[in-house]
Structures are given as C-alpha cells and as structure tokens.
Amino acid sequence: MSNDESREHTFSVLVDNESGVLHRVVGLFSGRGYNIESLTVSEVEEEERLSKITIVTSGTPMIIDQIRAQLDRLVQVHNVANLTSDGPSVQREMALVKVTGKGEQRVESLRIADIFRAHVVDSTNSSFVFEVVGQTDKLDAFIELMKPIGLADVSRTGVVAIARGAET
Amino acid sequence: MSTKRFIGGEIIIKALIDQDVEVVFGYPGGVTLPLYDQIYKQNRLRHILVGHEQGGMHAAEGYARSTGKPGVVMATSGPGATNTVTGLVDALMDSIPLVCLTGQVTSNLIGNDAFQEADTTGITRSATKHNYLVKSTEDLARILHEAFYVATNGRPGPVLVDIPKDVLLGTGAYVGPEASEPRNYKPRLNPDAKAIEEAVDLLASAKRPIIYAGGGIVNSGPKASKLLTKLVRATGFPCTTTLMGLGTFPASDPLYIGMPGMHGTYEANLAMHDCDVMLNVGARFDDRVTGRTDAFAPGAKKIHIDIDPSSINKNIAVDVAVIGDAGKALDKIIGLWNKKKIKPDAKALKAWWRSIDKWRGIDCLAYDQDAKAAIMPQFALETLHKTLAGSDYYVTTDVGQHQMWSAQYLRFDEPNRWMTSGGLGTMGYGIPAAMGVQVAHPNSRVVCVTSEGSLMMNVQEMVTISKNNLPVKILSLNNNVLGMIRQWQELFHDNHESECDLSGGADFIKMAEAFGFTALSASRPDEAAGAIAEMLATPGPVFLNMAVARDENVFPMIPSGAAHNEIDLGPNKQLVSA
C-alpha cells in the first residue's frame, strides 16, 4: 500500500540558539530510530538568538507525522515546517570537490565543471577544488563524473531549504 | 523593578516558596553546600533528608501524583545527579511533574573532569521533558520558574536544572513566576470544536462502544475524573481504566469493567477487541494495553483525546484526534452530547452489555484460597482492600506480580489514590513513593504493597520513614522468588528458573525492626486478615512480612505480542464455554 511507503522529507526547524538544542534534536532522531540523511544548522536571527536546523529524513507518513509532533513539543523549538509536504520549496546544497590529475584530466574536469556551473576556488599544478551548488542529485552526478578523472576529496554542506512564495 | 540582589542559594529558596513548594526531598553534597546553608537559615521550606537520591525522586513522584503539585528534589553534582536518572525517566514515562535541582562543579571547572563532575544535562537530556544548565546567577530565578512552568504545563514531566557552585554563590536580581513564562512553549489545552463534534457523532452512532481512560485524566485534575464519571453514566457505555488511570472512574460502579491489557480483565479485553467505537481519554495505546497492534480493536472507529500531539497515531492510527486537556475535552463532549440531546442506541447497547455481562460472568479474577495451606497473594490483597474500604487511604506499589494483583484486587473509587510505576516499571519505587505520599497526607493511611525483590531496591528509605515518624504501612508479599520472572520462565522458557530464587535472604523482621519499624508477620490464611488489620491499627511505621504461595501466576494474561481475544485465563479457562 502506498500509504506505508517510506519517502524523503525535508524539515525546517526554528530553534532557540542555545547550548544543547542540537543535541536534543539529534538525540530525538537517534533515540527513536529515525534516519538523518542530512543536517545543517546555523544562526539565522542574531537579535532573537534563533537558529534554523534543516533535516532531511525518510519514513512512512505515520513516522513523518511523528517526527513533526516530536520536534514540535521540544521546549526550544519555535516552529517546524515540513518543506516536502507543506508546499513547494527550494532546496540547495553546496559541495567542495577536490580533483587531482594532469594534462587531459585537468581539461576534462574543467569542461564538466563548466556544464555544472561549478567554480574553481583553489588550483595547483596537479589539483583543483571546485565549488558546486544545486540540488542533491546534481551534486551526486557531478561527483560521480569526477570519480574516473581523479576525485580526491569531497566536503558537502548538507541541504538547506526554504518555502517558495511570499509566506514565511 | 527591585534592584535588590540576592545570593544564588537565596534565589532558589525564594523561587521555591513563590512556587508554593512546601517540601523538598534532597541529599547535600560538596557543590550544593551554599544552597544547604540557605536551607539552614530559613524555616518555611521543609527539607527531607533521604537515604539515596533515587529514593528522593520516587518520594517526589509519590508527592506529586497524590497532590497534583510538582515534586521537588535536590541532589549534588556527579553521583548525586546520576542517581536521579532512573527517577527522571520514571517520571517522564508516567508524565509526573517534577523539578530536580542538581549542583554542578564551578563553571570554570566544567569539562575538566573535576571531582564529582558529570555531564548532567547531557546525561539527562533524554531522561527529562527539558533541562537547563544555569550559566549566571542573573538567569537563575527566571530559569527556575520556567522549569516549574514546563514541568506542570501541557503533558507534565520531569525538568532538571543544573546549577554550578559559582552560580549558587554569586548574586543576581530576583524575578517572580509571572515574568518567567517560556517565550515559546505554549501547549494546546482547548480542543478543536470540529474534532469534538466528530467525536460526539461517532459516540452517538456506536452500537458497541467502550470508554478507555488513562493517566491523563489524573494529570488534568480531580474535575476530569468527575467529568469522565458523568460522561460514562450519561451514555451508559462500559468504562475501562488503565494501570495509570485506576480510580479515575469508580471501580464500584457497575459500568466499570476493570483494567485492560496484559493482566486486565477478560471482559475489558474482549470489549476492547469487539467494540465498534473506542473513546480513549488520556491514555497512550501502550503496548501492554494493545497487545499485537494489527489485531487491536480491529473493527473499531477510534477517538483519541491527548494533550500531547505526538501521542496521536504513534502506536495506533485513530479516526478522530482531539488534542487538548482531558478535562476540557470531556466537558465539551458532555456539553455537545446534552445539547444535541443524543440518545444512544438502547437496543444495541443492551445487546452489547449482555455480551459483556456474559464475559464478566466468567469471573476471571476468581482464585481458590480454601484449598491452600499458604496465603494466596490475591486473597491478601482482597483482604487489604476490604480492610481499607471506606477509609481515607493511598496505596503505592513496587513492580512485579504484586503490582498486577494490586491493580486487579484493590479497587479505587477516586483518582490520585494509587501510585505505581507504570511505564518504566521501576522496582524500588514503592517505599519512597509511599514516603512522599505520607509527607503530603500526614493524616491519611498510606500503604505500600511490595515484595522482597523490589523491597531491597530502595530499602534505605525505611530509615527516612521512621526518622520522620511517617506512619507508612509496608505490606510485603514474600514468596521467596522474583515472581514475575518465574512466571515468564514457567510460561515461555520451559520452566527454567534462571536466577530468580530469593530464598534464604534477609531476616526481614529483624531488618524492619532495625530500621525503626514495628514488624509483623503472617504465613497462614487464617492469620492474614488479623495481621492486615493489626498493621493498619498499629501507630507509626509498620512492616508486615506476609509469606504467600510461591508459584502463583498472574492471570488473566495476554502473552506479549498476542491479541486481546487470545487471552489466557489460567486456572479459570475451563469456565469459558466454546
């Protein structure tokens, strides 16, 4: 039954920027056996001392509802949005991708970077670091293409997301 | 605003008094010495020096559960704090409002592995509803009041405030409770009108209804129990109450069909299974109640009233979710029921009661005392019930067979009278909980039903009880074995009695006397009633060691993971006709 299908959901959680809040959110996921596929956190409101946590998780509709309710009842949580089910949203992730190689390999890596609108942010005689921004699957594809050329290292930010439209 | 400055320890005393705290259960230690110096200097707050911090936690739980007020505990850093953890989780599972104050090493030593340092907020994060580390004396008053707010509002629970020694010694301004509501935590109390309407319509359409009530009604306050009773009587529907909800509906009412679940009555479980509309008020579809979830009340439309939205659809998917306070929701349901002048389907209800009465006629709690040379535990508890009936009494239990028999044979007509560790099942809960109840109700009868396994887990609090002249009566049903373990080993592990034998243990009579109790004993059926009466009549703390039949099992029993209609009646199964 489609109702029991596990699907990916992105939650955006506005929290007090206090010590322990990230631990509490992460602990909720680990303590109840929910997945975390990606997690980002940063202060978004200096005066009000609010941080936003973006979590990509997956589960059946019942589990996704549970995750929302469990997050919502934490004392330090101000607002929980399910950006997958509440309406359209924009999702972005950034990766820094180190590729090593010489000659034709370097040319090929620049050519692919161009297609993906990736920027070179560091360069030596035998390496590039590319900065690539986009949806998770775009980054996955970029990294996959760099593997045979000389992929040496990857750092990814995890997903940040925001609802489309004028509503906040 | 006053600019007067106070020492951290003074702020704590002021805040507790402003929160109407009368008593704290605590144990001092190195870093809480400045707080204890302030306790020394005042006489408004009563401090009870417990034997162990875990005992303090359960005492505070007993106090809270029997009064509806939050219980307060003080413990020192490190081991003091770690000793509170079981009590915190116990209170979290059973939604008991507690505020636990722990000392912490001086701020500049935090993280240095200092003497008696533990990462208390880290350790207790998943053991509490919320916790705080106070970083400045300036924040102390606000955080303390916020802690009380969080502990008592919404679904109640334990809140821990970790206070470094320098915060206790430093100075800060004082703010009162009114200025200290959390900026964000505002649980929903008033249910949605549309959900109430849907609930009432479903109840009106019911042919085989059941009302399943739980601990949320106790937490809502005595008025919620009155409203539950009113609704049950107005509808004529059968009512079952969970382990945490015993007493929310009078057990003496003919509409009461006993407790549901693993050791619930035959009639309650079959009615849960066969009902067509189920109204759950303040219970959480715990696995000990539901049994196998895919076979739980398969033909029923389900309504769930809960103050905690995360309880909805957690274990069992429901048709109507009413989020809010149980009392407020019941009030609205009764209001709409009356306004719509609903008359339940009398013919269907009559047929439904005929089925229930047939199940009830099995008398699933029957036992045979006459044929036995030993006291049957069921007989002991039925005798206790008869002896207590009509008086002002409270009962706490420990965990195991005696707890389930207590739930079956002690019949409560009022809420807040029954204290037991439901969710966590903490052995060692009963004696300190009884202490807390007796502190709150000095002139009432307080009985702890325990057994020799649980007894030894917080036995040190017997000293606290006698030192404080608390007339707690302890009835220990001694069967020389960890009874529930033995029962499961008999039923599910080929009768391999692995590590459950408690024979040859302490001389409990000498032990009780050494702890300042009057010690009584009974071992023959004809002694039981007299011994219980003597226990209750003897002033001061009394310990009654009652030897009971060793190999008795708790029945009925729904094996773990089975359905309600797969209930095992034990020796009474021959009574059921096919």
Side-chain angles (χ1 to χ4, degrees), chain A residues 16 23-24 66 73 77, chain B residues 125 131 183-184 308 310 313:
Chain A
D16 286 325
H23 187 301
R24 200 172 281 280
Q66 261 297 299
R73 71 175 187 160
V77 168
Chain B
R125 202 157 276 137
N131 64 15
R183 58 177 177 157
N184 175 46
D308 177 1
S310 76
N313 295 335

Side-chain angles (χ1 to χ4, degrees), chain A residues 128-162:
Chain A
F128 287 122
V129 175
F130 296 106
E131 172 202 292
V132 56
V133 177
Q135 303 225 42
T136 298
D137 51 358
K138 174 182 163 182
L139 269 56
D140 291 344
F142 181 77
I143 291 161
E144 202 52 42
L145 286 170
M146 288 301 179
K147 268 186 190 163
I149 297 169
L151 181 72
D153 199 6
V154 180
S155 289
R156 295 172 74 148
T157 58
V159 172
V160 292
I162 202 161

Side-chain angles (χ1 to χ4, degrees), chain A residues 16-20 23-24 32 48-50 62 65-66 69-70 73-78, chain B residues 122 125 128-131 135 146 150 155 183-185 308-310 312-317:
Chain A
D16 286 325
N17 184 13
E18 287 173 3
S19 63
H23 187 301
R24 200 172 281 280
R32 293 185 184 266
E48 294 268 302
R49 295 186 52 74
L50 296 176
M62 205 156 153
D65 285 348
Q66 261 297 299
Q70 295 285 353
R73 71 175 187 160
L74 297 179
V75 172
Q76 290 156 310
V77 168
H78 288 239
Chain B
R125 202 157 276 137
T128 52
K129 182 174 173 189
H130 196 53
N131 64 15
K135 293 190 172 150
E146 189 174 309
V150 171
R155 180 178 180 173
R183 58 177 177 157
N184 175 46
Y185 183 70
D308 177 1
S310 76
I312 307 287
N313 295 335
K314 183 171 70 182
N315 302 330
I316 297 289

